[in-house]
Amino acid sequence: MNVDKLNFPTDVINAVREVVGSGFIPLHEPEFNGNEIQYLKECIQSTFVSSIGEFVNKFEASIIEYTGAKYCIATVNGTSALHIALLMAGVTTGTEVLLSPLTFVATPNSIVYCGAEPHFVDVAQDDLGIDPVKLRKYLEEITVFNNGQCINKKSRKKISALVIMHTFGNPSKIDDIVDVLNFFNIALVEDAAESLGSFYKGKHTGRFGIAGALSFNGNKIITTGGGGAIITDNEVIAKKARHLTTTAKLPHSWEYIHDEVGFNYRMPNLNAALGLAQIELLEQSIIKKRALHKSYKIAFTGIDGLTLIEEAADTMSNYWLNTIILDKENQSYLEPILEIATKNKLFLRPAWKPMHELEPYSNCQRMNLDMVNSLSKRVINLPSSPNLFTY
Ligand SMILES: *Cc1c(COP(=O)(O)O)cnc(C)c1O
């Protein structure tokens, strides 16, 4: 099928409608068709609704079982999980942390919570994750080694870590990025907030660095209302992270002794009860989302001028948010497409405004961000609720 350019926006909308059907279609809706109400009732009846209780332990155990990580620490949200994961990687005041500007504001915010400075690097178009080739070249240009530490020549600051974010559930090019980081002695932290259920070479995302952060916000693949988790394979890191998320309180039957400045980041039992029911549905939800992706693939097959993002070989995506990227020639169609969709009560969404365009991050250091700048005018998320797939 050859598409008349004038009809391009309506062709895109029609392709989406072909998959999702008629009526009001949100971007991502949670599903509660398991044991949610039963577990919440049990939780309330137990009176342990707050920071101590069996549901938090069970929820952590089920995350461990699903991801294969050795340790899991449930937190109040994904942002707090990322904050602690960065601290565990040695991100401290006066250092710099590399990240892509194509992310949710929680990523740079959590870097600043550590007293560090976000430093932006460009992405690759195929997976919307950090481009390892550009990264290596950039670090070769701007850094020197000093006592084995990677120092930014211009700012004279240490580059302490890099955050990989698996955008919309698509695993980034982890091995190639890790190669670069090993060479430059930079720690890896993963913002796996969007990628619960996404695997890279058979290993769950979030398990490749010192620690990974998950999110269970209402728009994510499973939800605890609000919530997050730190996952790690390192016992020392796990103990330290648990200590920090629970106000750094030493175990004692009655005394309140806190041996450092900790955080009140522990996930409440009530949220974990919801999460336990949700994680029981995760496998099923991913099957539905992958099937939904296949339907999008078929619907968009005949439409020239755009690309539907697909998982790379050796990776498995949870397809949290299906995403199309308009060809450069078609970027002027972004607004018309979003306008028609809005009138149509169909939730299509552009990518986030890139972080370096936000006021608090407008002066941060960066490499040439050509790809991010271009993609931010061409990326569209498609409705991706699991219930959109009908057998
Ligand atoms: C959702 C999300 C987070 C964490 O968000 P919370 O609302 O704090 O759970 C962090 N990074 C990215 C990229 C996200 O999408």
Side-chain angles (χ1 to χ4, degrees):
M1 182 169 61
N2 234 332
V3 175
D4 180 345
K5 284 273 178 186
L6 285 173
N7 291 329
F8 184 70
T10 32
D11 289 333
V12 171
I13 302 292
N14 289 342
V16 176
R17 278 288 181 204
E18 212 175 283
V19 174
V20 303
S22 58
F24 167 71
I25 308 287
L27 189 65
H28 200 279
E29 260 185 324
E31 272 192 325
F32 302 111
N33 46 22
N35 290 319
E36 286 84 355
I37 290 175
Q38 189 197 319
Y39 291 172
L40 282 168
K41 202 170 151 190
E42 275 176 37
C43 182
I44 292 166
Q45 283 170 343
S46 79
T47 74
F48 286 94
V49 293
S50 197
S51 50
I52 294 173
E54 268 319 294
F55 283 107
V56 190
N57 301 335
K58 283 182 186 164
F59 182 62
E60 288 177 339
S62 56
I63 294 285
I64 286 170
E65 192 189 332
Y66 184 81
T67 60
K70 288 214 179 98
Y71 306 95
C72 171
I73 299 101
T75 59
V76 286
N77 53 46
T79 309
S80 57
L82 192 54
H83 178 194
I84 300 296
L86 287 161
L87 290 176
M88 294 303 96
V91 174
T92 51
T93 303
T95 68
E96 294 175 12
V97 176
L98 304 167
L99 77 159
S100 149
L102 194 65
T103 187
F104 177 56
V105 73
T107 322
N109 281 355
S110 55
I111 292 167
V112 174
Y113 299 163
C114 299
E117 194 184 309
H119 185 150
F120 296 116
V121 296
D122 207 10
V123 301
Q125 167 153 336
D126 53 353
D127 54 22
L128 307 179
I130 288 172
D131 183 331
V133 178
K134 285 186 181 172
L135 178 70
R136 183 182 294 273
K137 198 162 164 277
Y138 182 63
L139 290 174
E140 278 167 1
E141 278 164 24
I142 70 147
T143 67
V144 287
F145 278 107
N146 193 343
N147 290 325
Q149 297 191 330
C150 182
I151 308 292
N152 178 340
K153 280 194 275 195
K154 202 164 150 212
S155 67
R156 294 265 128 215
K157 285 181 181 168
K158 176 182 168 183
I159 299 181
S160 54
L162 173 143
V163 183
I164 291 187
M165 200 278 277
H166 306 290
T167 318
F168 309 134
N170 306 295
S172 300
K173 297 178 184 67
I174 301 176
D175 278 355
D176 292 343
I177 295 169
V178 166
D179 275 351
V180 177
L181 297 183
N182 286 344
F183 181 83
F184 287 94
N185 195 19
I186 295 170
L188 171 65
V189 170
E190 279 175 275
D191 181 344
E194 305 183 351
S195 63
L196 177 64
S198 299
F199 293 80
Y200 180 86
K201 298 188 177 170
K203 187 170 167 180
H204 197 278
T205 52
R207 294 190 55 205
F208 292 84
I210 293 191
L214 304 175
S215 168
F216 313 111
N217 192 25
N219 61 348
K220 297 300 196 311
I221 194 154
I222 66 165
T223 184
T224 58
I230 303 151
I231 54 174
T232 180
D233 287 346
N234 181 313
E235 187 183 358
V236 177
I237 297 279
K239 277 197 178 141
K240 177 105 190 164
R242 186 172 297 282
H243 188 58
L244 278 182
T245 56
T246 51
T247 65
K249 185 180 180 295
L250 297 179
H252 194 283
S253 299
W254 60 84
E255 272 197 282
Y256 295 96
I257 304 166
H258 307 262
D259 63 353
E260 60 186 307
V261 179
F263 301 90
N264 184 12
Y265 279 176
R266 179 87 173 141
M267 177 186 281
N269 206 38
L270 202 53
N271 298 78
L274 181 58
L276 187 65
Q278 284 272 289
I279 200 164
E280 291 170 358
L281 304 175
L282 177 59
E283 203 86 60
Q284 202 52 40
S285 175
I286 290 173
I287 291 170
K288 289 189 210 166
K289 287 169 79 71
R290 291 179 61 82
L292 180 67
H293 172 78
K294 268 195 188 150
S295 306
Y296 275 127
K297 191 174 173 192
I298 293 164
F300 278 100
T301 297
I303 302 183
D304 295 328
L306 56 79
T307 311
L308 177 70
I309 294 192
E310 299 204 54
E311 63 195 3
D314 281 350
T315 76
M316 190 181 117
S317 174
N318 64 5
Y319 287 115
W320 172 55
L321 288 184
N322 283 284
T323 305
I324 52 172
I325 304 176
L326 305 179
D327 289 357
K328 271 200 184 120
E329 310 84 79
N330 290 339
Q331 71 178 42
S332 61
Y333 289 114
L334 180 77
E335 284 211 12
I337 291 169
L338 296 175
E339 259 167 38
I340 299 172
T342 306
K343 275 195 205 125
N344 234 275
K345 300 214 183 320
L346 188 61
F347 264 69
L348 304 190
R349 280 289 172 265
W352 308 274
K353 185 186 264 298
M355 295 300 110
H356 61 285
E357 289 181 15
L358 299 182
E359 214 282 323
Y361 298 117
S362 58
N363 291 322
C364 289
Q365 296 175 82
R366 67 199 65 169
M367 70 159 77
N368 178 323
L369 298 172
D370 277 354
M371 185 53 82
V372 166
N373 290 331
S374 167
L375 284 170
S376 67
K377 300 185 197 91
R378 300 191 282 130
V379 164
I380 301 177
N381 291 133
L382 308 177
S384 299
S385 308
N387 67 7
L388 289 173
F389 177 73
T390 42
Y391 292 97

